[in-house]
Amino acid sequence: MTIHGGQAPDPAYGAVMPPIYQTSTYAQTTPGGHKGFEYSRTHNPTRQALEKNLAHIEHGAFGLAFASGLAAMDAVMKLLKPSDEVIATDDLYGGSYRLFTKIFEPYGIHFRFVPMQSTEKVAQQITPKTKLLWVETPTNPMMNVIDITAMANLAKHHKLLLAVDNTFASPYLQQPLTMGADIVMHSATKYLAGHSDVVLGALITNDASLAERLSFIQNASGAVPGPFDSFLTLRGIKTLHVRMERHCQNAATIAQYLAHHPKIESVNWPGFDHHPNHTIAQAQMKDFGAMLSFVPKGANHQTAIALVEKLKLFTLAESLGGVESLAGHPASMTHASIPKDLREKSGVVDALIRLSVGIEDVQDLIEDLEQAIG
Ligand SMILES: *Cc1c(COP(=O)(O)O)cnc(C)c1O
């Protein structure tokens, strides 16, 4: 699927990779007489190949590509009307929180942030105005795992839409549509494209009427990716399964190394038996992913920053999911837009360090951590 989905050899010359159709418009023989493509905001053959591929890999019928993950989320929010309510994961990607509270809250859409590991807590927050459950799992950066099937049952019972941000897991590890989600969202910038060289977003659904409304929004609002970015993402997806296997192996080794290190206080990774959501992770994920976070013993804001600055092989950077390992300090980087009290309530303390484990030689990565932890 990752290699062939949506990509037959190009009919014009047999090109094995879909060509980069770097064009904004298409010749017509007579007004309206065209080959299915009129204008590239609406349709572009390279983007279309990617959209079909995205649908395949998530076991969906319809895929839609956007200029970024946040542009994809923006399109989902535009399904809603003023006074509608959304229940979202409390431990949410910082940019998602900012989009919800700073852009859509002023338009009259109300958000409730709930620790969704508890299905009961979510159920308690549902009101007649609730229209959408927004789930992110595993969460960022605390690595909580939310039971997608339980959320889907709750959504069906109350006639709500369920959208799942599947960025951290990737479709290699979990496919939310098969567990009852209505919409899957991706920041393809991360594992799907996988090489830290493109910003792109995606939505996938099985529901034809949702797909129609979302593609109307995609065209009407216009946040589409260009043909070259679509091509890069297609190329990245071809190796998703091989990369993810290695990502997960490396992360498991590093999680164990950190857990046994005398200078490390705690490690958040869903693969541990003692992780509070380990059983759910085992049931709904093929493996435990390559994101983890940890707190060094006795660390504070300054010493955590000093540690990440000492890393040489791990690059200090925002983002995740590329072949190269990255380290970050959520409190001052990815999660700086979330108020400190709210941040700390979900465990994102000032001493927390986040790793996106890449596919390098794992021994090299451990040596790098060893010299930085000291
Ligand atoms: C990066 C990210 C986003 C936003 O995607 P962009 O492509 O940066 O717009 C949303 N959700 C999660 C979980 C992410 O990691």
Side-chain angles (χ1 to χ4, degrees), residues 67-73 92-93 95-96 134 136 138 140 165-168 185-190 198-201 319-320 354:
S68 70
L70 284 173
M73 291 180 68
L92 200 65
Y93 173 73
S96 306
W134 186 273
E136 190 181 314
N140 177 16
D165 181 340
N166 203 25
T167 302
F168 263 42
M185 173 260 160
H186 275 283
S187 169
T189 313
K190 318 293 168 51
V198 62
V199 172
L200 193 139
S319 197
L320 60 114
R354 186 186 84 173

Side-chain angles (χ1 to χ4, degrees), residues 13 24 27 57 143 173 199 201 256 298 328 342 358 367:
Y13 300 106
S24 61
I57 62 176
M143 311 309 302
L173 297 179
V199 172
Q256 296 294 351
L342 202 67
E367 276 168 32

Side-chain angles (χ1 to χ4, degrees), residues 37-306:
F37 297 91
E38 283 172 285
Y39 186 62
S40 279
R41 174 164 27 74
T42 320
H43 295 296
N44 173 280
T46 318
R47 191 178 99 213
Q48 194 173 75
L50 170 64
E51 291 178 328
K52 287 185 177 165
N53 181 273
L54 290 163
H56 274 286
I57 62 176
E58 280 288 2
H59 296 301
F62 310 95
L64 295 161
F66 291 84
S68 70
L70 284 173
M73 291 180 68
D74 181 89
V76 175
M77 292 304 136
K78 286 174 179 161
L79 293 169
L80 304 174
K81 289 190 287 301
S83 94
D84 283 351
E85 291 184 2
V86 177
I87 300 177
T89 310
D90 64 339
D91 178 17
L92 200 65
Y93 173 73
S96 306
Y97 179 83
R98 183 178 56 199
L99 177 72
F100 291 170
T101 57
K102 297 285 200 288
I103 304 289
F104 284 99
E105 190 84 58
Y107 283 104
I109 294 167
H110 189 60
F111 295 87
R112 293 164 190 254
F113 298 96
V114 180
M116 289 185 153
Q117 305 86 280
S118 160
T119 308
E120 205 171 295
K121 282 193 178 141
V122 180
Q124 282 165 4
Q125 294 290 327
I126 295 174
T127 77
K129 290 183 171 176
T130 310
K131 292 286 150 47
L132 171 72
L133 300 184
W134 186 273
V135 171
E136 190 181 314
T137 179
T139 68
N140 177 16
M142 293 312 292
M143 311 309 302
N144 296 312
V145 177
I146 295 158
D147 187 339
I148 297 172
T149 308
M151 289 301 129
N153 291 339
L154 203 58
K156 295 243 154 24
H157 186 252
H158 294 273
K159 297 193 166 49
L160 315 174
L161 283 177
L162 172 64
V164 177
D165 181 340
N166 203 25
T167 302
F168 263 42
S170 91
Y172 176 77
L173 297 179
Q174 78 191 5
Q175 290 119 17
L177 295 179
T178 66
M179 294 179 244
D182 300 294
I183 300 170
V184 167
M185 173 260 160
H186 275 283
S187 169
T189 313
K190 318 293 168 51
Y191 289 107
L192 292 185
H195 295 73
S196 310
D197 53 8
V198 62
V199 172
L200 193 139
L203 297 177
I204 302 103
T205 181
N206 268 318
D207 182 316
S209 83
L210 262 181
E212 197 183 317
R213 287 164 71 200
L214 289 167
S215 83
F216 181 84
I217 294 167
Q218 180 195 38
N219 181 53
S221 286
V224 292
F228 186 57
D229 287 354
S230 300
F231 171 88
L232 281 176
T233 306
L234 267 173
R235 187 172 74 161
I237 291 173
K238 281 180 190 288
T239 55
L240 177 72
H241 52 305
V242 199
R243 286 185 284 111
M244 288 311 293
E245 268 177 33
R246 178 64 171 263
H247 274 297
C248 293
Q249 266 172 24
N250 280 1
T253 309
I254 288 175
Q256 296 294 351
Y257 155 79
L258 289 170
H260 292 102
H261 200 292
K263 291 190 177 167
I264 301 301
E265 178 75 39
S266 58
V267 186
N268 304 305
W269 178 65
F272 292 129
D273 289 343
H274 63 260
H275 183 285
N277 320 124
H278 180 67
T279 318
I280 294 161
Q282 250 179 337
Q284 76 184 16
M285 298 172 77
K286 187 184 170 87
D287 204 333
F288 302 108
M291 296 299 299
L292 54 91
S293 58
F294 66 97
V295 177
K297 266 191 189 137
N300 57 33
H301 194 265
Q302 279 73 27
T303 59
I305 288 180

